[in-house]
Structures are given as C-alpha cells and as structure tokens.
Amino acid sequence: MGKLKRFQQVSQAPTRPQNRREETSFDVADLYSGPVDTDTKQDDSPIPLDEKLRQAYFWITNHAIISPYYDVEYNDGPPQNYVFGDQKVRLTLPTDQSYSSYVLLPLLNLAVRRRCLLVGGPGRGKTVIAVLMGILSGYSLKEIRRAIQHGQPQMTIADLLGNPLPSSLVSAESMDEVQISWRRWLGMRIKIIDEYNRIPTRTQSALLTVMADNYAELYDHVFECPRAAWYLTANDDSGGGTYQVIEALRDRIDVVVKALHFNTRFLNELLLRIEEGLSPEEIVPNTIVFTKEELDRMEKEVLSIDIPPELLRRIEFFAGHFEFFEPAARQIEYMTKDTAKLANVDFNLVAAEETGKDALADPGAQTRNGLSVRALMTCLVFVKAMAYFRGTKTVSFEDLRQIIPFVLHDKLVQHKDSPYFEQKSNHALRIDHISWIRNLFDQSCKEYDRLGLDRDDPVAKMSEKFEEGLEGVSEKEVTKRMLTIERTLKKWADSNKLYGNMFDDILKLKYLHQRYNNYLKWLKWKD
Amino acid sequence: MERLKEGPLSKALRAGREEFNRRFARAARLSHSIDAEAFSQHMVQCVAPVVEAVAALDQNAVFRVTDCLFDISLEMLAKRLLSISRYPEVGRLWTEIFPSLAEAIIHDPRGVCASLTNALYNLYVENGRVQQWLSLLKKVIDTGCPVDSLRPVGFILAWRCGLSHFRKKALQLCDELDEKLLLAVFGLEAAEKDVSRKEILERLKNPWLPPRYPPRPGSLKIVCRIGGFRGFDGSFVNPPEVLSGDERLFAFDDQACWEIFADCFGATLRHYGKDLPEPGQSSDSLRIDRHGKVSAGNISALFPDLAGSSCSAATTHTLAVTLPSSHFIYLVALASAD
C-alpha cells in the first residue's frame, strides 16, 4: 500500500530542470554580516535629501506624533469607496502612498522655509510638532524651548526683539552708539511663535516686520535675520483670539495646518509614553537631522522641480476665477473684488447686483476675494515641495489638487451667502475649507476640460506669438495679429456672460493689442 | 546588580552622559526589549574589560571606542543578542576575545566587534560549535594573529566548527595564510610543526580526513545524519530524495531543494530553491545495494540500518542515502578512525 501511495503521489515541486544555476558560493562576508551593523561609515554616506525628508516623515508618524490619518490622498488605480449614513459620508481607501497633512505640511514648510500656521484646540500637539521641526533643523531641545516666543497679552516689543544695553543707553551720544541686545531667536533658522493670536496688536506689528521682511528694527538699529521656517500656533484659524490678528500678519501665513483629532484606538500608545516617561523630542535620531547646508541645498532642489506648462495653465485658469467682480466698477480693469473691498461697501449688497450668471457653476461666486501674487507664488513653491517629497522631478496634477487647499486655506475668503452653499450637499463646505477649495479646483478643471483649453487656447497661442518678439515683424503681420485679437474679443462679446476665467484673458488680449498698436505706430513713424 | 567600578569606562560614560542617556532613551522608545538592568550588567561585565584593554594601549582612544561599543551594545540588546538563554557564549566573546583584540578595536571598533558578534550569531543560527569556535579563535589570537588575518582565520575556524558550506572558500583562504598561522588554525603547531603548507592543503583535499595526521586508510562508516522532519526543527516536510551531479549533492522533498555540504568538520543543508538542479555528471565511486551493503572500490561494509534504501546519490567521497520512512539523510564515507 505504501508503494502504491508512493506511485500515486504527484510531486508538488516543479521537476522541470532549469538552466544551470550558478554554483552556490559563500564569501567571508556571509559569516560577518548579520543583525549588528558593521558599516563604520554609515553616518557619513550621503543620502538624497528628499529621501531624508521622507525618512523624517515616517519617523515622526511612526514614533513621535500619533497621527494615523491619510487625508492627503494619492491613487495609482481606482480606489475603493464606501458611503456611510444618511449624510452619505464618503470614505476612500487610497491605492498609492498617502500622507497625514498634520505631519507632511510642517515638513514641507521646513523644506521651503515659509510660514506655517498650526491651528487646533489645546493639547493637540501643535507646539510639539513645531519643536520637532526645530530639532530636525539641528537645534537641541534646550535651544528650541528657550527660543519659542509665547504669545501673551503683556508681550512687548522688547520682549520680542530685544533691549538696548542700559550702559550704552546712558553713555551714547547718538542713536548709532546704542548697543542692542537682540533676542537670540531672531538669528535662528527656525522661528516658533506659540499662540500668536495672544500677542498684543502693537507687538504684532513688530512681528510683522520680522515675518514679512526678515529684519528687526529697534532704536534705528537693524538686525538682519537669516532665512527661516516659521511655525505659528493658534487655537483659532479665523484670526480671533485674545487679540484680533492684524490682516497683514495673517496674510503672511503661507500654509495652514489643522491639528487632527486624537484617534482613541491608539490610547495604548499614549499609555506607553506615560509609563516610559519619554517624549519624542528627546529621542530624534541624528540621521534625520538636517544641517544648515542641507537645508539650503534642499530649498534649491525644491525650487528646481519642474511644473509642466499644461499644469501651469490649469493653475492660471483656476486662479483667474476669483478676482473678477462685475458690479464693482465700470472700467473693466477695476472690476475686482479688491475694488469693492477698498470702497468699503457691503459685499452682499453689491454681489446681489450680479445678474444672469450661474452662481452654482461660477467658482468666483463662492469667494469674497481673489488671489494675491503672494498667494500664487506660495502655491507654486508648495506644489514643487510636494513633488519633491514624493521623489518626482515634475509636479503632477494630484500634487496641485492635494496641496493648493492647504495653501489657500486662509487666502480665499468664502462668500458664505453664496447660493452655492445654500445647497444641502454643500453645507459642510462652509466649515471644511480644505474640501471646499479642493472642490473649487475640481470645478475649475472640469470647466477647463469642457472648454477644451488643452487643445485650443487662443490667448496662449497669441501670447506665444508675442513672446517671440517684435523684431522684424512687418506692419502687415502686426495688423493681422491685431485683427485676430479683435475677432476673438468680438466672439466673446457675443457670447452671453462674462465669467471670471475670461477676465484675465480679455485684459491680456487688451494688453497684446495695445503693445501691437504701439509698435504699429512706431513702424509708421519710422517709415 | 554589579555596579560599574571607577575606571576608563566610567569616566568615558560620565563625559558623554547626556548623549548616552539620550541614545538609551531613544533605543528604549523604539524597542521594547531594551532592559536597563540587562544593559547595565552587559556594560559592567562585558564592555568594561574591553575598554580597560583599550585604555592600557591608548588613552586617547577610550572615548571613541566607548562611544562605538555603547551603540553596538544597544543594538545587540534591541535584537536580543544579549540573551544568555539564547546566546550563552556572547559574554565569552566580549570578555575573552575582545580584550585580546584591543589594538584592532582601536583601529576599527565597529568593524571588529560587530563582525565577530555577527559571526557568533551566525554560528548559533547554523548550529555550529560555538564554544569550540571561541576556544580555537582565542588560541589562534594568542599565538599572534595579525589584524589583517583575523577575518579569514575566523572564517576558516567557522568551517572547522561545523559550517561546512564554507569549505570551498575556506580552502582558498588556507592557501593564502602564512604557514605558521595555517598550523595554528588546524591545531598542528605542537604536533607537526615541520609539516609544510603544501602537505596540509593536500590532506584537506579529502573532506573526510582531518588534516591532523598524514593520510591513512580509512574505513567506511556512517559519518553523519542530517535533515529531519520540519515539524521537529528539521528541514523536510516528507521523506526526501537525493541526487548528485558534478561533485555536488542535493536533497529534495515535495516543496524545495537543498544542497548538502558535508565533511569531517560537520554537515549543513542550504536551501537551493524550488526547482531541481540540472542533472550533472554523477559519480559511481560509492554504491549501496538493497541489503545496505556499501562498496567503495575494493572496500565494502554492511549497514543493516540502510537496507531497503529509497534513494542514493554519490560524489567521489560521499554517499547520501535516504530511507522510505525517514526524514533524514545518511551520509556514508571512507573516514578516518578518529
């Protein structure tokens, strides 16, 4: 029976002979490599800085900050979606590496050395993450803790910036002779302002100079600050607090990051920390700490990331929706929300004069303002940083989609009375600004695709032609180009409505027409 | 708990106290197997003697070496390499071997200590004779082993202590060692100090005759038994079969194939893959019949335990035999009497 079973047994192992495998050889290293690292130069071997940034991200999420969220979602295939409850709450399971904004955005801010506002209720780790960024910049925990500026109602300019040395004040015969003892934090590569909305208004102005222009001034003496990454914390993202945050200061914030809630399923992690008596700031590994030179180099590498022209065009199209405000003026150049704001009129009243346009379809109808140059530049920098973090050489569409909402969070002001938000499905967007802005971007891209601007963009073509230069362009050619502009404008004028995305295009055509007109006059004068 | 006495190690630890504490705290955070008491004991019993030996040679190197040994010790603790129950001889490595390598450690502390620790670990994993390896290594070092030769010597000794798959490379290294060291590695210095390198290498050609004595006729015997049922920590799921080709022996079951390495110092099985090797030139210098009689030229011997074998395969020196109801492989060879 045993023999029969043996004959019936089919081998599960493949028995087809393969090509001869190389003879198994063993090297001395096989004995000496193992669980203990033998590499004496491990700390010296340079790793790419984007890889180091990623390592820092994963160390923080795995060991430092409990932020088990993936709200910055990437997909390399169709993701699965689930819908919960009566409100149709949607959950997506991303298919590509995704990230927690709470850790990612501060790191990107470190890479590009901008200004990051961390908002959230008390005890959510805002200061911890800022301190971690400080340690990653090469400072010790002691140095960082001493350098944090704590906003409080009695904070004076001297507390913030420094004091003149009393002895020099007494002996000086002119302001030049006064010596200032500048606060140490001014010279650091990381600047942390805790609870900035508790700083008195007067002191906020002094802070603004440092944040905006990178210098501090006292008694006619100027301290030039080095480039730094800023981290400000607040528990109110609308600019309220003990003192209202001055608009100019708020406008200097480049990116806003919300502290996400604590997931109670990770309570055991908290317990472990209590029992061990350890805090993550004390145990940051040296391998993810950046030197000053590395931070400089990383910023340069980020800025060298490419934004493809077709994506840049989409950003232009998106940004173009918001500034245009037809009821604000009669002269087209002045038809902006900024004109209305400067005139201090009631925005709702003026907005009600808008007629005929589809307020649900028009992204511009959802905001009270447009995008400033500063906001646009910040967008471009941060999308580059996102692509850099993901290890790619060019920015992708999803990089735009994921990062722009965080950058524009405080920059685009909602028009809460817009009919768009009256729709039941859009109520939550009044509160969830990230989703709102992402939605705006998606809406804009849909419109961009509907207009077929990737295939046919007359303004882009005309701009390209103009960029080639006017040297040697004949009178006939110039006239032809001017006619093209006029025909395009006529075609648009005959269409019914004037939307925001057309506004900048119309003004660009006017600009081109004027330039050609001046050139034509010069040609005629020359002749 | 034994306390650290005042000495070079305690001074070095004091000098870098904040940094060492920070590293320990970080390691403890990352690994739950970091036990402060076990670490302290290791520092006192194992690291201190090494640092003292280093201090005796070069005071300026003490901090640097301490810094490195501290990190290595943390790594070992995190990976449970300091567990006496699992690796009882780790302490010997640090207290007997490392102090006598103080000069080499000053030159490359991580390279020397980490490598030898890994070697010990690999010996344990491969079921090598760890105690013998340590004793032999100590002996060779005491006879004056140059630093450059430490790694090849350790490798050859690992082969001698049961890691038979290292044979080929070890023989190459033997060819490169100086004569005195070669004698020391095989323990021949006292008995046969006049024997030449050439003769030793000649002796080593027969895997079943140790180089200790000049070649003499051996007898057929079952030299070892390897394999076993996987459920009992062996290699095979079902009774294996064997095949040979080009002086190599292989064993396979329903799931995978292994290569057999065996000689007078030990036997190991190394995973070859899921597929069988291409059939090669087989040797018929050793044969077995169904009664269990093994023949090698004019010499034969009867092995009743091997009667009714299911399969056999041979190289010039080794016959591998399997039985239908056994998960083991029996190796038969012309071996020396001792």
Side-chain angles (χ1 to χ4, degrees):
Chain A
M1 184 60 185
K3 275 187 186 173
L4 183 63
K5 189 176 176 185
R6 187 178 167 72
F7 283 125
Q8 287 173 334
Q9 195 176 32
V10 176
S11 175
Q12 289 175 18
T15 55
R16 179 173 59 84
Q18 298 298 306
N19 289 334
R20 172 169 288 284
R21 203 183 273 222
E22 286 300 318
E23 186 169 330
T24 320
S25 61
F26 296 93
D27 186 62
V28 174
D30 292 328
L31 178 68
Y32 295 110
S33 44
V36 185
D37 202 336
T38 55
D39 187 0
T40 49
K41 293 194 190 322
Q42 60 169 329
D43 288 334
D44 297 340
S45 56
I47 60 166
L49 291 175
D50 61 310
E51 172 63 22
K52 194 167 179 175
L53 198 64
R54 282 189 294 276
Q55 285 182 4
Y57 172 85
F58 287 114
W59 184 84
I60 294 173
T61 48
N62 291 336
H63 301 295
I65 303 285
I66 304 169
S67 184
Y69 302 110
Y70 299 98
D71 56 316
V72 178
E73 296 176 1
Y74 281 82
N75 295 294
D76 58 6
Q80 288 188 65
N81 289 302
Y82 301 89
V83 174
F84 299 88
D86 299 329
Q87 300 299 322
K88 305 281 182 269
V89 173
R90 184 173 287 277
L91 170 79
T92 306
L93 296 179
T95 54
D96 197 4
Q97 192 175 73
S98 300
Y99 313 97
S100 165
S101 63
Y102 189 44
V103 179
L104 175 68
L105 272 304
L107 270 174
L108 296 187
N109 188 66
L110 179 68
V112 297
R113 294 194 275 203
R114 296 285 163 135
R115 292 156 286 242
C116 173
L117 174 63
L118 300 151
V119 295
R124 291 190 181 232
K126 303 185 293 293
T127 312
V128 168
I129 203 141
V131 168
L132 279 173
M133 294 302 115
I135 294 173
L136 290 181
S137 306
Y139 294 103
S140 69
L141 184 55
K142 205 189 275 186
E143 283 174 310
I144 288 290
R145 281 189 176 148
R146 281 183 186 163
I148 296 177
Q149 300 307 297
H150 298 278
Q152 39 95 2
Q154 287 75 42
M155 189 185 221
T156 63
I157 294 175
D159 292 332
L160 192 68
L161 301 183
N163 287 293
L165 290 174
S167 58
S168 70
L169 258 184
V170 168
S171 62
E173 291 186 4
S174 70
M175 292 306 281
D176 291 340
E177 290 173 27
V178 175
Q179 283 182 357
I180 308 290
S181 169
W182 296 102
R183 292 293 312 281
R184 195 175 140 71
W185 74 280
L186 292 170
M188 290 174 70
R189 296 185 294 282
I190 282 278
K191 293 182 168 70
I192 303 176
I193 313 289
D194 206 16
E195 297 190 45
Y196 86 128
N197 55 344
R198 295 189 71 219
I199 299 174
T201 312
R202 188 157 173 254
T203 315
Q204 284 184 31
S205 302
L207 179 62
L208 175 63
T209 314
V210 184
M211 262 179 74
D213 302 317
N214 231 13
Y215 74 89
E217 190 182 351
L218 262 184
Y219 289 83
D220 279 351
H221 289 264
V222 168
F223 181 94
E224 299 277 355
C225 304
R227 280 184 61 70
W230 286 74
Y231 294 91
L232 302 96
T233 74
N235 46 26
D236 180 330
D237 68 349
S238 60
T242 312
Y243 293 95
Q244 190 67 22
V245 177
I246 58 181
E247 193 178 340
L249 189 61
R250 277 185 62 199
D251 192 57
R252 289 310 193 281
I253 302 292
D254 292 307
V255 68
V256 178
V257 182
K258 281 190 190 324
L260 299 168
H261 77 287
F262 177 73
N263 188 323
T264 52
R265 296 296 282 193
F266 290 83
L267 197 60
N268 59 326
E269 271 286 327
L270 282 186
L271 181 62
L272 207 61
R273 291 189 191 187
I274 294 166
E275 288 169 352
E276 290 171 357
L278 283 175
S279 49
E281 310 93 277
E282 292 166 359
I283 54 171
V284 177
N286 288 334
T287 49
I288 57 171
V289 172
F290 292 88
T291 62
K292 180 183 173 304
E293 292 70 32
E294 284 176 338
L295 287 172
D296 289 340
R297 193 156 49 94
M298 185 159 58
E299 190 185 2
K300 284 199 182 90
E301 287 177 9
V302 168
L303 295 179
S304 71
I305 296 290
D306 190 42
I307 302 181
E310 56 273 17
L311 284 186
L312 197 64
R313 183 65 197 105
R314 282 183 188 261
I315 300 172
E316 287 173 4
F317 186 79
F318 168 71
H321 288 297
F322 305 112
E323 191 66 62
F324 180 60
F325 194 36
E326 206 171 333
R330 186 169 287 185
Q331 176 81 15
I332 189 168
E333 283 87 346
Y334 309 147
M335 287 180 180
T336 65
K337 289 170 184 164
D338 204 44
T339 305
K341 184 182 170 194
L342 289 170
N344 215 16
V345 292
D346 187 322
F347 183 87
N348 285 349
L349 268 178
V350 182
E353 291 174 27
E354 285 252 55
T355 55
K357 279 193 276 196
D358 185 354
L360 296 178
D362 179 15
Q366 297 174 37
T367 73
R368 286 177 166 256
N369 66 335
L371 292 177
S372 63
V373 169
R374 190 181 297 134
L376 286 170
M377 284 173 70
T378 308
C379 276
L380 296 176
V381 168
F382 271 87
V383 297
K384 285 182 181 241
M386 187 67 220
Y388 179 79
F389 178 82
R390 281 175 58 76
T392 58
K393 293 274 178 257
T394 53
V395 170
S396 71
F397 177 78
E398 203 56 41
D399 292 331
L400 297 186
R401 224 180 139 258
Q402 294 299 327
I403 289 300
I404 283 177
F406 293 98
V407 175
L408 299 184
H409 182 278
D410 260 13
K411 304 279 185 275
L412 274 179
V413 178
Q414 264 184 3
H415 176 31
K416 291 192 192 297
D417 297 323
S418 164
Y420 182 83
F421 297 109
E422 299 300 324
Q423 292 205 302
K424 196 176 172 202
S425 56
N426 295 335
H427 283 177
L429 296 181
R430 276 196 179 119
I431 305 163
D432 178 2
H433 282 209
I434 300 292
S435 301
W436 168 57
I437 296 172
R438 194 164 287 135
N439 203 54
L440 271 176
F441 187 75
D442 289 343
Q443 232 183 314
S444 165
C445 289
K446 268 192 198 131
E447 182 61 13
Y448 185 91
D449 292 333
R450 189 188 70 79
L451 293 170
L453 291 173
D454 262 342
R455 294 183 309 274
D456 180 29
D457 185 351
V459 177
K461 280 183 192 142
M462 287 185 240
S463 298
E464 263 172 47
K465 209 78 195 146
F466 181 79
E467 294 302 320
E468 285 168 14
L470 294 173
E471 189 75 27
V473 177
S474 66
E475 194 177 315
K476 185 179 167 192
E477 175 62 23
V478 171
T479 312
K480 183 179 159 201
R481 291 185 191 182
M482 287 172 73
L483 268 172
T484 308
I485 291 170
E486 287 156 14
R487 264 192 231 118
T488 307
L489 286 169
K490 175 85 172 65
K491 185 176 158 197
W492 289 353
D494 290 342
S495 74
N496 284 327
K497 305 291 172 210
L498 179 57
Y499 284 96
N501 59 286
M502 296 163 68
F503 178 54
D504 281 338
D505 286 355
I506 291 167
L507 290 176
K508 180 80 186 260
L509 290 183
K510 180 176 175 179
Y511 161 83
L512 291 174
H513 192 273
Q514 179 60 212
R515 292 291 301 269
Y516 285 133
N517 194 44
N518 290 343
Y519 180 69
L520 195 62
K521 284 195 170 13
W522 178 79
L523 279 178
K524 284 179 180 162
W525 170 83
K526 203 177 79 166
D527 289 342
Chain B
M1 189 170 77
E2 203 178 329
R3 293 183 68 81
L4 183 63
K5 292 191 185 84
E6 188 61 28
L9 178 63
S10 62
K11 281 190 191 137
L13 290 176
R14 213 178 296 130
R17 184 179 176 177
E18 203 177 298
E19 172 61 19
F20 288 133
N21 282 343
R22 194 177 65 79
R23 281 189 220 169
F24 184 87
R26 184 169 74 230
R29 176 75 186 90
L30 297 175
S31 170
H32 297 304
S33 50
I34 298 282
D35 174 65
E37 198 177 312
F39 187 72
S40 295
Q41 283 303 289
H42 172 74
M43 292 301 280
V44 170
Q45 289 170 0
C46 299
V47 177
V50 183
V51 174
E52 275 163 26
V54 164
L57 290 178
D58 181 359
Q59 271 294 337
N60 293 332
V62 166
F63 187 82
R64 180 171 53 84
V65 169
T66 303
D67 189 59
C68 184
L69 295 186
F70 187 93
D71 283 345
I72 292 176
S73 302
L74 272 180
E75 274 180 66
M76 289 175 67
L77 190 62
K79 291 172 184 172
R80 300 182 207 269
L81 295 174
L82 295 183
S83 163
I84 292 177
S85 55
R86 282 187 183 193
Y87 310 106
E89 303 298 325
V90 161
R92 268 187 73 192
L93 179 69
W94 284 72
T95 55
E96 290 180 23
I97 304 293
F98 286 170
S100 47
L101 292 174
E103 198 182 322
I105 287 173
I106 288 171
H107 175 69
D108 182 8
R110 181 168 275 277
V112 171
C113 299
S115 299
L116 289 175
T117 303
N118 286 336
L120 195 78
Y121 169 80
N122 288 323
L123 276 158
Y124 272 113
V125 164
E126 301 282 358
N127 293 318
R129 297 184 291 277
V130 176
Q131 288 184 347
Q132 186 187 12
W133 185 76
L134 283 168
S135 302
L136 290 174
L137 185 64
K138 178 90 173 80
K139 242 185 187 174
V140 173
I141 290 170
D142 288 343
T143 59
C145 174
V147 170
D148 291 347
S149 302
L150 187 60
R151 281 169 68 98
V153 161
F155 189 87
I156 296 167
L157 291 177
W159 165 50
R160 271 197 67 188
C161 294
L163 272 55
S164 302
H165 49 285
F166 285 167
R167 179 184 171 82
K168 188 173 174 189
K169 181 67 184 178
L171 289 175
Q172 283 173 17
L173 292 173
C174 285
D175 202 17
E176 293 158 15
L177 280 185
D178 77 56
E179 219 161 79
K180 185 183 160 209
L181 209 48
L182 189 62
L183 286 171
V185 159
F186 288 102
L188 298 175
E189 61 276 62
E192 291 195 74
K193 55 182 181 294
D194 295 328
V195 71
S196 69
R197 166 210 292 281
K198 193 176 165 191
E199 203 173 325
I200 295 172
L201 294 175
E202 197 56 39
R203 293 179 193 179
L204 287 170
K205 277 184 183 169
N206 186 329
W208 295 108
L209 294 179
R212 192 165 181 76
Y213 302 111
R216 57 189 183 192
S219 54
L220 280 170
K221 54 168 78 170
I222 297 177
V223 287
C224 73
R225 185 182 79 154
I226 51 169
F229 175 52
R230 195 179 294 177
F232 295 144
D233 211 27
S235 305
F236 303 112
V237 169
N238 50 275
E241 293 174 37
V242 288
L243 61 89
S244 66
D246 297 334
E247 292 300 306
R248 295 165 75 184
L249 281 171
F250 298 90
F252 60 94
D253 63 6
D254 287 349
Q255 293 196 356
C257 181
W258 287 259
E259 185 166 355
I260 301 169
F261 296 90
D263 57 25
C264 59
F265 299 121
T268 53
L269 282 170
R270 303 293 290 179
H271 195 260
Y272 183 78
K274 282 192 185 290
D275 303 325
L276 295 177
E278 210 173 273
Q281 190 82 16
S282 206
S283 172
D284 58 0
S285 49
L286 285 154
R287 290 187 302 276
I288 185 169
D289 67 15
R290 61 189 174 87
H291 300 294
K293 180 180 168 190
V294 176
S295 311
N298 295 331
I299 305 170
S300 65
L302 184 67
F303 300 98
D305 290 342
L306 300 182
S309 60
S310 51
C311 188
S312 67
T315 61
T316 304
H317 297 289
T318 313
L319 174 71
V321 180
T322 59
L323 298 172
S325 56
S326 172
H327 289 77
F328 285 100
I329 300 167
Y330 296 86
L331 300 181
V332 180
L334 269 171
S336 69
D338 50 350

